[in-house]
Amino acid sequence: NKTTFVSGEQIWFSTYVYNKKEEAISLEEEYINIDLINSLGEIVSSKTVLHSNNKGFNDILLADELPSGAYYIQAYTTAMQDLIEDDSSVYKIKVLNFDTTPSAFDSTELLEEIQIEIQAESGHLLDGVLGTCALRVSDSNNEPVVPDRVILQSTKGAISTTVSINDIGIGRFSFIPRIQEQHQVKVYIGDKVFTQKVPSPRSSGYTISTDYNYGKDLLLVTINSKNQRLEQEISLLIHKDGNLIDLPVRFKNQRRSAEIIIPVSSLFKGVNTLSLAINNEVHAERLVFAHPDNATLSSQLLNVERQNDSMIIYIKNNSKKIQSVTNNLSLSVLPQKSLADSEYRNIPSSFFLNGIIPHETISQLQEIPFVTEDSAKYILDNVLMLKGWGQYKWKNIKNPNLIPAKRITALSQISGYVNLFDTENDSLLVMLYSKDNGLFETTLLNREKKFLFDNLILAKGSKFTLTLLNKKGLPVYANFFFTTLPIDEKFRHVYRPKREHPKKQSTTTTKNPNLLFKEVEQLEEVTVKANRLKYEKFFGRYDGRKIDSTLIAKGTLENYIRSYGFKVIFVNPLHPDPTIAGTLQFAERCRRSDILSPSLVIDGVFYKYAMNQAFLRLEFIDEIYYKSGRCAPSTFVVFTNEKYKDRNNREALMESKEFIVENGHELSSAFTRPNYHSTSNRSFEHYGIISWIPKIVSNSEGVISFKVPVDGQEILKLQLQGFSENGDLISNELTIDLSRR
């Protein structure tokens, strides 16, 4: 809801999950972990949020004793911990504690040493070919430094060129390098001068250079060569997350350069890798950024109604591009003079930069007061040039490894003991089902009659069912004794904002200077592939089906079960099992005399005979799994959908027992306003928040309405963040004047 907080407040936030492969908001239901981290890299507080219907929201309470300083919010899904690259998102915030000194934001440290990073475009320079280099100046803590003056100078001293440096210590320069001539960069800060050599050029090879035409959204890619055979088959490959575009490179009339014009709209959203490949071997590489679509709400204040101690505000969206606003939008209502939020903190680009650019650099980019959109793109291109070589190893680009995402974060565990009464422990299984938490898992009962469920995410107050199964998959009467405990397991990519000081030196010289990204390793390219069915991973040997319109036409579960060859028979009234004596039941014949009836599981509750629930209509079912063994009872496992709320449990057997989670993660609560002593003082106007609405929905005419408390504020600042229905990013700041209404 903002970026500067007073200790004792709540941080309210909305969460989104982006599918890099599909370049769209993820539709999967999953959990998001949120950590609040201090400037030493220590986790201060954590939350777990359920991401459902494209969005989640929650809050973190800041303790009254939390000291002033910089803090970081790190967000990640459970599946991310199984991947090598760190795709988590980190956002920087500030906390003010007026009982302590707020001088934690001031830095008066004298610069005794600096780092100068120089990276050539496409990774290297060529002798006699115009080349471009990116330059970054930082202190020993990797914080940006803006020098008084920077010049590029030849060792012969004949030519000196001034290099411009922006507010995050980054600039670029172009020149024609020569093997027999060394160049260096001189950085002047006060009365100190720091020097760094420019990488030496190669005598032969290829380079890639790019130029943007921001007005027409075109990218010009120029390939230069030196002392190379031009008749070879050369390709310019554009790739991202396993997606690949292959463009042929042709040098006309033995010229040593070739040009390719690429519409930016044809690139993948976010960071693209341009690789110049000959026989699957990369000779040059360059990272470029394709800005995602950014939708702008065109707002019109329609009306303000007073209702008791609140005001209802009506805003009309006149944007033709955004016809309706879904609940994928959140709103912060701030005082006009608020310093607690910056309109640049959520530049849409940052959503696509995680995993490519270090989090601290993204934070610095967000703090730049961008004058125009084009200048922001230019600065970002300089940052990508500093990255040098691509993120992925080339050998997997054309044949990406497809692996399923695994849930390995253990937030809770259930461990217990089972009283079997007179039953023998013969390969018994304990089954856990929780519709509230989306869980369906089984575990073996050991010889000591104990069981353990690990890697669980359980919401406090949610329900789950435990059932004991024999090796035929049928329920067994038993009692359960167990404890539910939360587990503190650290995220494998915990953000560390502070780094150790390097050894004292005035400059840093390496063969491939890339200090800004020195902690980034060469990674295998991995693509996460979503499962076709939600519960498929628990039923590897079952025949799983998702109920669609074709299957709904079958009408009832009875007709579906009949399609597997089961017949309905009348059971003899003298049958020894009184629960089925004189009833109709599904049956299949095994050998000559044995007649077997399938069992049925509906949302974790066992029914010994499927006919008991055969009337259930398929329109209420989401997924069905079926398993049959040779001369063994068959089992149907059914998961209902949202339409099926109130199932009839009167016929459920007592073998399935339902419990309520006591030690689970907290669910989000209703919005609570901060406890300011006064809403008219300077601290409230600068750091307070008037209202937070996590879900904004417009009506059919595009009108957004929301309620805010009356605080004597005539002019309100609105921060709208989220996504439109078609996936465009929305990041707008609006100002409304209530005094005219």
Side-chain angles (χ1 to χ4, degrees):
N1 53 353
K2 52 180 181 171
T3 54
T4 301
F5 298 84
V6 178
S7 56
E9 281 194 86
Q10 287 171 293
I11 303 173
W12 282 81
F13 54 84
S14 293
T15 58
Y16 309 92
V17 179
Y18 186 75
N19 186 321
K20 295 194 301 180
K21 182 73 174 178
E22 302 296 331
E23 294 194 342
I25 296 299
S26 172
L27 301 179
E28 297 291 326
E29 184 174 280
E30 52 193 315
Y31 286 90
I32 301 174
N33 304 300
I34 311 291
D35 292 335
L36 178 65
I37 300 172
N38 62 20
S39 59
L40 299 177
E42 301 167 338
I43 297 177
V44 177
S45 180
S46 296
K47 279 277 186 168
T48 302
V49 181
L50 177 62
H51 172 265
S52 181
N53 296 323
N54 306 352
K55 188 179 180 181
F57 65 94
N58 213 297
D59 66 281
I60 294 178
L61 178 65
L62 298 175
D64 292 331
E65 61 275 10
L66 199 67
S68 296
Y71 291 82
Y72 303 85
I73 298 174
Q74 183 175 29
Y76 53 93
T77 66
T78 55
M80 287 181 185
Q81 299 202 57
D82 198 38
L83 303 177
I84 298 175
E85 60 256 47
D86 179 8
D87 278 337
S88 65
S89 296
V90 175
Y91 300 93
K92 184 179 181 180
I93 65 168
K94 294 179 180 179
V95 175
L96 294 174
N97 190 328
F98 293 113
D99 295 331
T100 63
T101 172
S103 61
F105 305 134
D106 300 329
S107 177
T108 57
E109 181 183 358
L110 295 176
L111 288 172
E112 295 295 334
E113 54 189 69
I114 67 168
Q115 298 175 143
I116 303 173
E117 307 163 48
I118 301 175
Q119 177 64 57
E121 188 174 22
S122 73
H124 53 261
L125 299 169
L126 278 182
D127 177 43
V129 177
L130 181 67
T132 301
C133 293
L135 167 72
R136 183 177 188 261
V137 183
S138 60
D139 62 18
S140 57
N141 289 323
N142 206 30
E143 292 296 323
V145 174
V146 182
D148 299 324
R149 186 185 180 199
V150 177
I151 64 170
L152 171 68
Q153 189 177 61
S154 167
T155 51
K156 296 180 179 180
I159 300 176
S160 295
T161 303
T162 301
V163 180
S164 298
I165 301 293
N166 62 22
D167 291 341
I168 57 173
I170 292 178
R172 71 197 296 177
F173 57 88
S174 299
F175 72 113
I176 299 177
R178 299 292 182 184
I179 290 180
Q180 66 273 18
E181 183 179 10
Q182 181 65 53
H183 286 77
Q184 62 184 10
V185 169
K186 285 188 175 182
V187 176
Y188 296 84
I189 302 176
D191 59 351
K192 297 182 181 295
V193 180
F194 303 90
T195 304
Q196 173 69 45
K197 292 182 179 179
V198 177
S200 299
R202 297 179 179 179
S203 60
S204 62
Y206 297 89
T207 62
I208 295 177
S209 62
T210 61
D211 286 294
Y212 272 103
N213 184 328
Y214 295 117
K216 296 183 178 180
D217 257 354
L218 297 175
L219 177 69
L220 173 64
V221 181
T222 303
I223 296 99
N224 290 298
S225 68
K226 180 74 180 293
N227 298 331
Q228 296 292 324
R229 291 172 43 236
L230 301 183
E231 66 274 9
Q232 301 179 96
E233 186 173 326
I234 305 175
S235 296
L236 178 67
L237 300 178
I238 307 170
H239 52 91
K240 177 190 176 188
D241 299 314
N243 295 313
L244 183 67
I245 300 174
D246 190 336
L247 301 176
V249 177
R250 295 182 177 88
F251 295 89
K252 296 182 179 180
N253 302 323
Q254 295 300 307
R255 289 178 56 190
R256 292 294 170 176
S257 65
E259 294 182 346
I260 300 176
I261 298 177
I262 304 173
V264 176
S265 59
S266 66
L267 299 176
F268 306 112
K269 293 179 182 179
V271 177
N272 294 248
T273 305
L274 307 183
S275 299
L276 190 68
I278 304 175
N279 298 325
N280 289 340
E281 181 182 351
V282 175
H283 289 256
E285 202 159 81
R286 174 73 153 85
L287 301 183
V288 296
F289 187 79
H291 200 283
D293 294 330
N294 184 19
T296 301
L297 292 177
S298 177
S299 62
Q300 175 189 354
L301 181 61
L302 294 181
N303 192 21
V304 177
E305 293 180 2
R306 198 176 190 92
Q307 188 179 85
N308 299 326
D309 60 345
S310 300
M311 294 178 293
I312 302 177
I313 300 174
Y314 297 87
I315 294 179
K316 175 68 178 298
N317 167 37
N318 293 322
S319 173
K320 296 181 180 180
K321 187 173 183 180
I322 307 176
Q323 298 300 325
S324 63
V325 178
T326 67
N327 63 358
N328 292 338
L329 195 66
S330 58
L331 171 66
S332 299
V333 183
L334 304 165
Q336 178 195 13
K337 298 179 181 179
S338 177
L339 304 174
D341 206 326
S342 167
E343 61 180 306
Y344 308 108
R345 71 180 175 94
N346 283 328
I347 55 173
S349 308
S350 66
F351 204 80
F352 296 84
L353 296 177
N354 292 296
I356 302 292
I357 295 179
H359 297 302
E360 61 269 24
T361 308
I362 295 178
S363 297
Q364 294 162 5
L365 281 171
Q366 292 168 341
E367 293 174 0
I368 296 178
F370 292 143
V371 179
T372 65
E373 185 80 8
D374 292 350
S375 66
K377 293 178 181 178
Y378 178 79
I379 294 173
L380 178 57
D381 192 55
N382 288 351
V383 174
L384 290 175
M385 196 185 304
L386 277 167
K387 178 69 171 65
W389 210 251
Q391 181 186 17
Y392 308 112
K393 286 185 178 177
W394 176 248
K395 63 182 181 181
N396 288 328
I397 293 298
K398 288 193 173 181
N399 298 296
N401 297 323
L402 297 180
I403 63 171
K406 298 179 182 178
R407 288 180 33 168
I408 62 172
T409 301
L411 295 180
S412 300
Q413 68 173 206
I414 299 176
S415 60
Y417 163 82
V418 178
N419 184 355
L420 299 177
F421 299 105
D422 297 329
T423 304
E424 294 184 3
N425 185 5
D426 181 18
S427 301
L428 294 177
L429 286 174
V430 179
M431 183 190 75
L432 166 71
Y433 171 73
S434 175
K435 188 172 185 179
D436 292 344
N437 298 292
L439 298 174
F440 196 107
E441 301 188 12
T442 59
T443 186
L444 279 172
L445 190 69
N446 65 20
R447 295 181 179 179
E448 289 76 30
K449 304 175 185 178
K450 296 180 180 180
F451 65 93
L452 173 67
F453 287 100
D454 217 336
N455 301 332
L456 302 178
I457 302 180
L458 301 173
K460 186 175 182 179
S462 60
K463 297 179 180 179
F464 66 89
T465 299
L466 293 176
T467 308
L468 191 65
L469 307 175
N470 62 21
K471 61 183 179 181
K472 294 183 178 180
L474 297 177
V476 177
Y477 183 75
N479 277 348
F480 298 90
F481 306 89
F482 61 91
T483 57
T484 305
L485 298 173
I487 296 176
D488 183 17
E489 184 171 302
K490 293 183 178 180
F491 180 49
R492 66 179 293 177
H493 300 293
V494 175
Y495 179 56
R496 302 289 179 186
K498 292 293 182 181
R499 301 181 182 180
E500 295 182 3
H501 286 247
K503 296 180 180 179
K504 285 192 177 283
Q505 53 186 3
S506 60
T507 60
T508 303
T509 304
T510 59
K511 293 183 179 179
N512 184 18
N514 201 5
L515 302 177
L516 176 62
F517 300 90
K518 60 186 176 183
E519 295 187 355
V520 177
E521 57 182 316
Q522 286 292 100
L523 304 175
E524 300 289 340
E525 178 161 351
V526 174
T527 303
V528 178
K529 184 180 180 181
N531 289 326
R532 181 175 60 90
L533 297 169
K534 284 188 291 187
Y535 301 100
E536 187 177 28
K537 53 189 172 183
F538 303 121
F539 297 95
R541 298 181 181 177
Y542 279 64
D543 175 21
R545 296 291 299 274
K546 182 174 286 291
I547 302 301
D548 55 19
S549 58
T550 304
L551 292 175
I552 288 178
K554 290 182 177 292
T556 63
L557 183 61
E558 175 182 357
N559 294 333
Y560 183 86
I561 293 176
R562 282 175 178 266
S563 67
Y564 281 88
F566 289 94
K567 297 181 179 180
V568 178
I569 64 171
F570 177 74
V571 180
N572 192 320
L574 301 179
H575 193 279
D577 187 345
T579 61
I580 64 169
T583 66
L584 296 174
Q585 293 294 334
F586 291 111
E588 63 177 348
R589 186 174 298 278
C590 179
R591 302 187 184 93
R592 291 188 176 181
S593 58
D594 294 341
I595 296 178
L596 301 178
S597 295
S599 58
L600 179 65
V601 184
I602 301 180
D603 291 339
V605 177
F606 265 85
Y607 299 87
K608 192 172 183 180
Y609 301 102
M611 182 58 80
N612 294 346
Q613 296 291 331
F615 61 86
L616 181 62
R617 296 200 304 274
L618 291 178
E619 65 182 279
F620 295 126
I621 296 176
D622 184 20
E623 296 177 0
I624 297 181
Y625 296 85
Y626 168 70
K627 182 181 180 182
S628 176
R630 185 176 182 182
C631 291
S634 302
T635 303
F636 288 89
V637 181
V638 172
F639 295 94
T640 60
N641 55 31
E642 292 300 320
K643 296 180 182 179
Y644 185 55
K645 295 289 185 182
D646 304 317
R647 67 176 186 269
N648 185 356
N649 282 327
R650 288 178 298 175
E651 298 182 40
L653 299 178
M654 293 304 296
E655 283 81 353
S656 297
K657 296 178 173 57
E658 193 170 64
F659 305 93
I660 297 178
V661 177
E662 300 292 340
N663 298 316
H665 69 81
E666 296 285 348
L667 296 173
S668 58
S669 57
F671 171 66
T672 303
R673 299 196 61 224
N675 296 319
Y676 290 100
H677 297 292
S678 172
T679 58
S680 60
N681 61 17
R682 178 178 177 273
S683 62
F684 174 77
E685 289 184 344
H686 286 182
Y687 308 114
I689 180 168
I690 297 172
S691 188
W692 160 256
I693 302 97
K695 292 186 177 182
I696 294 294
V697 181
S698 63
N699 61 18
S700 58
E701 298 178 353
V703 176
I704 301 170
S705 62
F706 53 92
K707 183 186 293 187
V708 298
V710 176
D711 280 306
Q713 302 288 325
E714 294 184 349
I715 300 179
L716 304 179
K717 180 191 296 185
L718 308 182
Q719 292 281 352
L720 287 157
Q721 306 289 340
F723 294 85
S724 66
E725 279 188 328
N726 61 357
D728 290 341
L729 287 150
I730 299 174
S731 180
N732 294 152
E733 179 177 298
L734 310 175
T735 301
I736 59 174
D737 189 347
L738 302 180
S739 62
R740 300 180 180 180
R741 296 285 171 172

